[in-house]
Amino acid sequence: MSLKPYINTSFLFMGLMYTALFHSVWLISTQFEIIASTVSWYLPAGVRFAAFMLLPLRSWPMLLFSEKLTHFVLFHPGGILDNTAFLSGSLGWYLVHLLLSPALLCTSVYIFRRWFKAPYISNINSTLATLGVGLIISVVLGAVFIGRRAIELQTDITVFFPILFDFSLGDFVGLIVLCPLLFVLYDREHLHRVHTTLYWIIGAWLFLLLLSSYAYSHGTNISYQVKYLAVFPALFLSYRYAVTGSALSCLLVGVTAFVVASQSDLSPLEHQFYIIALCVSCLILGASVNHAEQMNKALRDKNEALEVAVNNAQALSSKLVNLQEDERKRLSRDLHDDFGHRIVDLKLQLSLNASNINQDSLLNKIDALYEAMKKSLGSLRPSGIDTLPIEAVIQGSTILSTLKNSHIDYGFEVTGLPYSFTSQQKIHIYRIIQEAVTNSIKYADATRLTIEINYAGSTSTFCVVDNGKGIPAQFSGSSSEHSSSTNHHTSHTPTLHTPTLGLLSMKERAKLIEGSIHIDTSATSGTSVCLTVPTP
């Protein structure tokens, strides 16, 4: 297997940055030990968790290599931070630190990342899941690290579990303080909500902490009051700025507890539970607010789309009424001006002396009357639509004759085994093809047009493809003149232009037969209008 995909400059830079941040916050964490060489607020756990949650999977080997190599450099005998507690050199230590713990960490995060995506704290479900997997990893890694030491020192089981509890809690505190902010900074999706008020609140919070330290240095301890006053800005930031505010609150809550702990002799557990309780509350509140905003935005978009759809439906309804009246007017005119005159002429011919009747002329007039009637009725409902296959109906209809009269070279192709559609399906398919051909004749200036019918098992596709100049954006409903795609199964945000009533009619007819319309149009390659109909 090639190692090239895992070793490159980008991944090396990620590894170095990760290692630098990891060991920087480690130096801070060592100031709060509750047992020898076991810190109560293990901030590096948050850096590690965030790095493996956010960075590409292929960067993981370089992250682990950089972390472990730096660990050896710092803690080996004679190193900068020579400490055998963090580098015992035993076989168990190597197995745990170089094999078992990385395997457990990577496996847990990999499984989680298959279900959730960054920033991981954008809604309640992902927030609770992220906190849950973070807690699990803290306990599992704690069991491995403390377990190895307990086996080597033969620690009693009654002592092991309290130590494991303290160790895991320290990891989880480090995770919940740092990870949310790292998530937000990496994703940057929520940073647009940052306003001046946020900076004022953060500044006031930090000023209060400085005031507490100043008062403590002069013999007045207000750390208890500061600790609980911090609850209000934390909750306000989470409510006002959603994910960004909750992430900043978690960091500031950790800083507050850090300052208070340096000014009091309270048990570390009290500070830990304070951090966890307040941070979890802030994260859930921020995620809830963000989730509500997302739902409101989606609702607004759907309302706008619904408004456009209602307007289109009203316009289509109005157009259908006008078309109906126009059709009635045309029929009335045809019956009066064409059929009426032809019938009067026939009556005059029949009223003449039988010997004077020109039978050939009379037959020609009857044939002409029949053809005119057939053409007029055919425009209302294509001939054979109830009995013939749809491809036969199209071949015998006025669609092809119209193309011929428009001097457009056309082709008609049928592939696959024909499917027997119902009369209702066939009339909608016919009208969609008729409208697509009419649009090509009117707008495309095409010289070549092909009607393609493809029967492919579970679906049938009817395409009208021309080599014209494409459908203009103001007619297609697309904000771009190069492409327009519509599927009735997918919701779209409102487009810049409203489609023409002809295209709306095509889409509505497609919905009636549970089909979908797909339109590809370009000024250089022409237009393709495809109707896909399921064939159960």
Side-chain angles (χ1 to χ4, degrees):
M1 182 181 68
S2 174
L3 297 178
K4 194 172 182 179
Y6 303 93
I7 302 176
N8 56 51
T9 306
S10 178
F11 292 164
L12 177 61
F13 176 76
M14 291 180 186
L16 293 175
M17 292 297 295
Y18 159 67
T19 302
L21 183 58
F22 182 95
H23 288 92
S24 296
V25 298
W26 178 86
L27 293 174
I28 300 174
S29 300
T30 54
Q31 304 302 312
F32 293 89
E33 295 183 352
I34 56 174
I35 58 175
S37 301
T38 302
V39 296
S40 60
W41 300 352
Y42 193 60
L43 299 179
V47 176
R48 179 196 292 127
F49 184 69
F52 281 83
M53 289 282 280
L54 297 172
L55 299 180
L57 299 181
R58 289 185 175 181
S59 69
W60 287 4
M62 191 60 68
L63 299 183
L64 291 171
F65 175 77
S66 300
E67 177 190 341
K68 301 307 177 185
L69 179 62
T70 306
H71 192 91
F72 277 107
V73 171
L74 292 176
F75 297 109
H76 78 280
I80 300 174
L81 301 174
D82 184 356
N83 192 330
T84 56
F86 294 102
L87 185 60
S88 68
S90 66
L91 177 61
W93 188 94
Y94 284 104
L95 288 175
V96 166
H97 284 265
L98 301 184
L99 182 62
L100 190 55
S101 63
L104 291 172
L105 173 66
C106 293
T107 301
S108 302
V109 174
Y110 175 76
I111 295 173
F112 181 82
R113 285 180 60 165
R114 295 191 62 180
W115 293 95
F116 295 94
K117 304 298 181 183
Y120 303 115
I121 53 174
S122 58
N123 58 64
I124 296 177
N125 289 337
S126 62
T127 299
L128 293 177
T130 302
L131 293 175
V133 75
L135 181 59
I136 291 172
I137 290 176
S138 298
V139 173
V140 170
L141 295 184
V144 171
F145 290 139
I146 300 299
R148 187 269 309 174
R149 190 182 301 178
I151 292 174
E152 291 180 353
L153 300 178
Q154 297 183 344
T155 305
D156 187 80
I157 193 68
T158 57
V159 178
F160 170 76
F161 281 109
I163 296 176
L164 173 62
F165 178 81
D166 292 338
F167 187 95
S168 303
L169 204 61
D171 273 22
F172 188 65
V173 167
L175 185 150
I176 205 171
V177 167
L178 285 184
C179 278
L181 185 61
L182 294 176
F183 289 160
V184 169
L185 291 176
Y186 183 86
D187 188 72
R188 299 184 183 180
E189 176 186 351
H190 305 283
L191 293 180
H192 67 279
R193 293 201 53 169
V194 175
H195 299 296
T196 306
T197 306
L198 178 66
Y199 298 120
W200 279 105
I201 294 175
I202 294 175
W205 193 334
L206 295 176
F207 175 76
L208 187 61
L209 293 178
L210 291 174
L211 181 63
S212 171
S213 300
Y214 177 80
Y216 182 75
S217 65
H218 287 74
T220 303
N221 192 340
I222 59 171
S223 59
Y224 183 87
Q225 290 79 4
V226 170
K227 181 177 179 180
Y228 290 99
L229 281 175
V231 172
F232 299 103
L235 295 177
F236 176 78
L237 288 177
S238 302
Y239 170 76
R240 180 65 180 82
Y241 299 101
V243 173
T244 302
S246 63
L248 286 170
S249 294
C250 289
L251 179 64
L252 292 173
V253 166
V255 174
T256 301
F258 184 95
V259 172
V260 172
S262 65
Q263 300 173 6
S264 67
D265 298 325
L266 296 175
S267 168
L269 284 177
E270 180 175 332
H271 300 303
Q272 288 176 326
F273 283 119
Y274 166 80
I275 293 173
I276 292 174
L278 187 52
C279 288
V280 168
S281 300
C282 290
L283 290 174
I284 292 177
L285 178 58
S288 301
V289 172
N290 186 69
H291 195 192
E293 290 178 349
Q294 290 176 342
M295 294 178 66
N296 289 335
K297 183 179 183 301
L299 183 60
R300 286 194 301 271
D301 292 341
K302 289 183 178 180
N303 286 338
E304 292 176 3
L306 180 60
E307 184 178 356
V308 171
V310 169
N311 292 336
N312 289 340
Q314 290 175 345
L316 182 60
S317 176
S318 175
K319 181 65 174 179
L320 290 176
V321 172
N322 292 334
L323 288 175
Q324 185 183 48
E325 293 302 321
D326 290 343
E327 194 65 28
R328 288 176 177 176
K329 182 178 179 180
R330 187 188 66 79
L331 282 175
S332 175
R333 184 177 62 250
D334 287 350
L335 290 174
H336 181 272
D337 298 341
D338 192 4
F339 296 163
H341 291 168
R342 291 174 187 272
I343 292 172
V344 169
D345 187 36
L346 286 174
K347 287 176 66 178
L348 290 174
Q349 291 287 336
L350 292 173
S351 65
L352 296 176
N353 189 301
S355 60
N356 296 329
I357 295 176
N358 187 333
Q359 292 186 357
D360 290 339
S361 175
L362 185 61
L363 289 174
N364 289 336
K365 289 182 179 182
I366 293 174
D367 289 340
L369 175 61
Y370 175 76
E371 289 298 326
M373 181 185 67
K374 182 180 177 181
K375 180 179 179 181
S376 181
L377 294 176
S379 65
L380 296 177
R381 189 171 179 85
S383 176
I385 196 72
D386 297 312
T387 56
L388 298 177
I390 183 63
E391 57 270 15
V393 174
I394 295 172
Q395 285 179 311
S397 69
T398 58
I399 293 178
L400 299 186
S401 61
T402 302
L403 286 170
K404 186 176 181 180
N405 295 334
S406 302
H407 306 290
I408 295 178
D409 184 23
Y410 65 88
F412 187 82
E413 302 175 1
V414 180
T415 57
L417 185 64
Y419 178 79
S420 179
F421 292 100
T422 64
S423 297
Q424 184 183 19
Q425 289 175 313
K426 285 190 287 186
I427 189 62
H428 289 305
I429 294 170
Y430 177 87
R431 294 302 185 196
I432 290 172
I433 294 175
Q434 185 182 46
E435 181 66 32
V437 171
T438 301
N439 286 340
S440 292
I441 294 173
K442 284 185 177 180
Y443 306 118
D445 292 336
T447 59
R448 172 73 184 175
L449 183 144
T450 304
I451 300 175
E452 303 172 354
I453 302 177
N454 180 28
Y455 297 102
S458 61
T459 60
S460 296
T461 304
F462 302 84
C463 290
V464 176
V465 182
D466 66 42
N467 64 346
K469 61 183 181 181
I471 303 176
Q474 62 268 31
F475 296 146
S476 68
S478 171
S479 60
S480 170
E481 65 177 0
H482 298 293
S483 65
S484 173
S485 178
T486 304
N487 188 311
H488 79 284
H489 297 298
T490 306
S491 298
H492 299 282
T493 55
T495 53
L496 183 62
H497 302 289
T498 301
T500 63
L501 293 173
L503 292 177
L504 285 175
S505 176
M506 292 166 63
K507 297 170 187 177
E508 292 301 317
R509 288 184 181 274
K511 290 180 182 180
L512 291 175
I513 56 176
E514 299 182 353
S516 60
I517 293 286
H518 184 85
I519 302 174
D520 286 326
T521 182
S522 170
T524 56
S525 60
T527 300
S528 170
V529 179
C530 288
L531 166 68
T532 301
V533 182
T535 53

